[in-house]
């Protein structure tokens, strides 16, 4: 059980939520939620004109809404903004969106009543997940369309997924013994405004990238051993004099992974000085990627705890301050960093696979199979890796430098964070496929050095693969092996060796 303490929820706690941990809201949040809701009530009674409380939205912000129509205003806002398209988000992303929305509202600066936050928590506990289309947000003014679909479910509109079935929202609420919410002043705006969708997708990408990255280090070390490569390039002194923290950490991790390898010991006096860059420069390339992951993680942990709707309520002075906390530029940059890192992780991995299947470079049988010619071995597996890397390079162009004005020019600069996070997620999944192929080819290469064994740590990865698939003796249907290995990378099956120490 994760107890959510708004403003101080950690990345480790969010990772646990991503992995399915249930949540509760810290009891201390109730008072600050109530204070902000009371402040909105006082603002309405005072007759002041406040954006989003008693005005229209966007270009219509100058239109004053009479008090008797304020409830219509909030409901209409949710309905009119429910304009998403595309496939629905995966369940784990939707759960993260809901949890992040709870955190933001429970900071006590959004002005919603406690029952609104409670409704989200009840639905989370019951596994009742709003069906949220994945397309339609430009990352400012918040993730309006997808959050409107989330909000619509609370008021009995749209669809909800429960027990692997899709129900009309009213039917799903009825199954939970709930009536549709009637939104009060500011509540619709507080629900649909914010960066929770782009942040949730970026967090999903980050947590996936962590597994892909650490699996890539295992694959890289295994490929180095299969090549009978030298670990001299991982000497800690070399990296200390440069000083880049990610590089230092990766070199140490690779050195540790190779400790105790009989294969490495067998050629310690062979006189080999240098390996190709994709082997020798792993600390420099993967270290830079690690630094990007760590930087993105810091940004996303802050944003996960942020108040990012508008206007922001300050109950101590009954102030409602209009600003731009909904602008997801920090998330957009974080997503693009993740995209670039995952693109490079896959790129350097594919090059190592290409070396291993090339007998001129590796000294191993052509395409890692005996009786080549009759057998093609891993020839086309490397082609698949190259195809995924090429696709990733196309996807890696930064979304954060794009902007299209919306809302009749009122919202004239946007972040594209949601799109950026979605394509970064696709890059990470593709990279997992590339790493899976490397793990298969490196394991095959290790087999050719028998009876010598790789290191105890790397042997765990070899045994994981060989417990499922035998040594490749002659051509066989490979797609299932590639798919299984990709899924195992995404599930963290190769990353437990390193993830906690590095990330």
């Amino acid at each position: 059980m994760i107890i959510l303490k708004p403003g101080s929820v950690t990345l480790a706690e969010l990772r646990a939520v991503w992995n399915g941990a249930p949540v509760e809201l810290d009891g201390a949040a109730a008072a600050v939620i109530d204070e902000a809701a009371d402040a909105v009530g006082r603002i309405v009674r005072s007759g002041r004109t406040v954006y989003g409380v008693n005005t229209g939205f966007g270009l219509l912000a100058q239109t004053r809404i009479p008090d008797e129509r304020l409830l219509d205003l909030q409901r209409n806002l949710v309905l009119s903004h429910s304009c998403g398209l595309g496939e629905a988000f995966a369940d784990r992303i939707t759960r993260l969106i809901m949890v992040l929305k709870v955190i933001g509202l429970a900071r006590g600066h959004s002005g919603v009543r406690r029952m609104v936050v409670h409704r989200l928590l009840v639905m989370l506990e019951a596994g009742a997940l709003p069906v949220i289309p994945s397309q339609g947000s430009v990352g400012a003014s918040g993730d309006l369309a997808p959050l409107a679909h989330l909000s619509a479910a609370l008021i009995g509109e749209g669809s909800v997924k429960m027990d692997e079935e899709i129900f009309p929202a009213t039917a799903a609420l009825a199954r939970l013994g709930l009536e549709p919410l009637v939104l009060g002043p500011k509540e619709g705006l507080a629900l649909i405004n914010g960066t929770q969708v782009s942040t949730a997708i970026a967090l999903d990408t980050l947590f996936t990238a962590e597994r892909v990255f650490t699996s890539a280090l295992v694959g890289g070390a295994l490929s180095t051993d299969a090549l009978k490569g030298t670990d001299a390039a991982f000497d800690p002194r070399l990296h200390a004099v440069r000083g880049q923290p990610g590089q230092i950490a990766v070199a140490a991790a690779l050195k540790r992974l190779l400790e105790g390898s009989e294969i490495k010991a067998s050629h310690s006096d062979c006189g080999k000085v240098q390996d190709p860059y994709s082997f020798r420069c792993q600390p420099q390339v993967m270290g830079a990627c690690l630094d990007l992951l760590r930087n993105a993680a810091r940004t996303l942990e802050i944003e996960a705890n942020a108040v990012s709707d508008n206007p922001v309520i300050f109950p101590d002075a009954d102030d409602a301050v209009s600003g731009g906390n909904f602008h997801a530029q920090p998330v957009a940059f974080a997503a693009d960093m993740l995209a670039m890192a995952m693109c490079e992780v896959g790129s350097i991995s594919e090059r190592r696979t290409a070396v291993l299947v090339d007998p001129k470079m590796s000294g191993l049988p052509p395409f890692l199979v005996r009786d080549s010619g009759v057998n093609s071995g891993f020839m086309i597996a490397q082609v698949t890796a190259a195809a995924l890397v090429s696709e990733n390079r196309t996807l890696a162009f930064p979304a954060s430098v794009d902007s299209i004005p919306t809302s009749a020019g009122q919202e004239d600069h946007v972040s594209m964070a949601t799109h950026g996070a979605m394509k970064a997620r696709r890059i990470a999944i593709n990279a997992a496929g590339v790493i899976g192929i490397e793990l298969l080819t490196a394991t095959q290469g290790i087999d050719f050095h028998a009876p010598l064994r790789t290191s105890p740590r790397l042997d765990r990865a070899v045994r994981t693969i060989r417990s499922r698939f035998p040594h490749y003796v002659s051509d066989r249907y490979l797609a299932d092996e590639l798919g299984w290995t990709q899924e195992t990378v995404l599930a963290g099956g190769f990353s437990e060796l390193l993830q906690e120490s590095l990330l």
Side-chain angles (χ1 to χ4, degrees):
M1 177 67 71
I2 301 299
I3 307 300
L4 301 174
K5 297 184 177 181
S8 59
V9 179
T10 68
L11 206 61
E13 289 170 330
L14 293 167
R15 195 180 290 110
V17 171
W18 183 70
N19 282 318
V23 299
E24 284 185 1
L25 182 61
D26 182 43
V32 296
I33 294 171
D34 291 344
E35 288 171 9
D38 291 344
V40 170
R42 290 191 294 271
I43 290 169
V44 171
R45 291 191 295 273
S46 74
R48 289 159 50 196
T49 299
V50 174
Y51 173 73
V53 175
N54 49 20
T55 72
F57 307 99
L59 190 67
L60 305 177
Q62 308 308 317
T63 303
R64 178 67 156 81
I65 309 299
D67 289 356
E68 64 272 15
R69 303 203 65 189
L70 294 185
L71 301 188
D72 293 338
L73 174 70
Q74 298 301 314
R75 179 178 176 82
N76 289 348
L77 176 68
V78 171
L79 296 177
S80 66
H81 284 57
S82 297
C83 290
L85 287 173
E87 294 182 3
F89 288 121
D91 291 354
R92 70 193 326 175
I93 294 177
T94 302
R95 287 191 79 245
L96 272 176
I97 293 169
M98 296 172 75
V99 168
L100 297 183
K101 181 52 77 173
V102 166
I103 293 168
L105 296 178
R107 288 286 303 275
H109 293 284
S110 297
V112 304
R113 293 163 297 168
R114 201 189 309 180
M115 68 174 67
V116 176
V117 180
H118 182 257
R119 176 60 57 89
L120 288 168
L121 289 167
V122 168
M123 293 179 71
L124 273 167
E125 183 178 5
L129 305 178
V131 176
I132 306 176
S134 57
Q135 294 175 305
S137 174
V138 294
S141 169
D143 296 311
L144 293 172
L147 285 175
H149 284 275
L150 167 69
S151 309
L154 307 186
I155 64 173
E157 299 286 347
S159 302
V160 171
K161 183 178 180 182
M162 291 179 66
D163 301 321
E164 300 304 317
E165 291 187 57
I166 306 296
F167 298 92
T170 49
L173 294 176
R175 285 167 67 95
L176 299 175
L178 301 172
E179 294 288 333
L181 277 179
V182 176
L183 299 176
K186 176 69 165 61
E187 289 180 339
L189 184 58
L191 282 166
I192 73 165
N193 215 331
T195 62
Q196 287 80 26
V197 171
S198 51
T199 304
I201 306 165
L203 284 169
D204 173 78
T205 303
L206 171 67
F207 299 147
T208 300
E210 291 172 346
R211 292 176 173 180
V212 174
F213 176 85
T214 45
S215 298
L217 290 184
V218 173
L222 203 59
S223 291
T224 300
D225 224 16
L227 185 68
K228 287 192 170 181
T230 176
D231 66 348
F234 309 149
D235 187 321
R237 297 171 298 175
L238 180 66
H239 307 287
V241 297
R242 190 178 198 184
Q244 294 289 353
Q247 178 178 327
I248 292 168
V250 166
L254 291 168
K255 194 88 170 171
R256 198 160 57 245
L257 284 170
L258 286 161
E259 280 176 1
S261 167
E262 295 174 1
I263 299 170
K264 179 168 74 78
S266 74
H267 60 91
S268 58
D269 59 351
C270 69
K272 189 175 187 180
V273 178
Q274 290 185 342
D275 294 316
Y277 285 0
S278 57
F279 293 79
R280 191 193 337 162
C281 297
Q282 287 182 80
Q284 289 79 8
V285 176
M286 296 293 284
C289 294
L290 177 58
D291 287 335
L292 287 181
L293 294 185
R294 288 171 169 174
N295 287 337
R298 280 191 289 272
T299 295
L300 295 176
E301 185 176 53
I302 292 169
E303 195 67 17
N305 286 281
V307 178
S308 58
D309 66 306
N310 185 61
V312 175
I313 306 299
F314 294 95
D316 55 344
D318 285 355
D319 278 344
V321 180
S322 285
N325 282 2
F326 51 72
H327 201 297
Q329 200 69 43
V331 182
F333 284 140
D336 282 341
M337 285 192 284
L338 293 171
M340 288 187 291
M342 285 294 96
C343 188
E344 280 303 286
V345 166
S347 180
I348 196 171
S349 169
E350 182 276 330
R351 286 292 81 204
R352 291 190 295 266
T353 295
V355 168
L356 291 183
V357 301
D358 183 346
K360 303 185 300 297
M361 296 290 288
S362 68
L364 296 167
F367 302 106
L368 301 172
V369 66
R370 304 287 189 192
D371 196 16
S372 55
V374 172
N375 295 302
S376 295
F378 287 85
M379 178 189 296
I380 304 304
Q382 184 265 326
V383 173
T384 297
L388 291 171
V389 168
S390 180
E391 180 180 330
N392 279 356
R393 288 171 180 167
T394 302
L395 291 169
F397 187 85
S400 56
V401 299
D402 187 24
S403 179
I404 297 177
T406 61
S407 193
Q410 176 74 2
E411 297 161 6
D412 60 347
H413 184 279
V414 298
S415 72
M416 298 300 180
T418 314
H419 167 58
M422 286 293 289
K423 68 184 185 66
R425 182 173 185 263
R426 182 173 169 187
I427 290 171
I429 292 169
N430 285 347
V434 178
I435 304 309
I437 291 169
E438 181 183 9
L439 286 161
L440 288 170
T441 55
T443 295
Q444 182 76 359
I446 292 292
D447 288 349
F448 288 118
H449 299 304
L452 297 176
R453 299 176 69 89
T454 188
S455 72
R457 288 186 177 91
L458 293 176
D459 193 54
R460 289 168 58 183
V462 170
R463 285 185 282 111
T464 296
I465 290 171
R466 285 290 170 255
S467 67
R468 186 72 181 241
F469 306 109
H471 177 75
Y472 195 104
V473 177
S474 60
D475 282 346
R476 63 189 188 227
Y477 188 77
L478 261 180
D480 290 344
E481 296 177 41
L482 270 58
W484 178 86
T485 315
Q486 180 184 34
E487 287 303 315
T488 304
V489 169
L490 292 171
F494 300 105
S495 60
E496 72 279 0
L497 293 170
L498 291 171
Q499 188 163 327
E500 188 173 342
S501 62
L502 287 175
L503 295 155

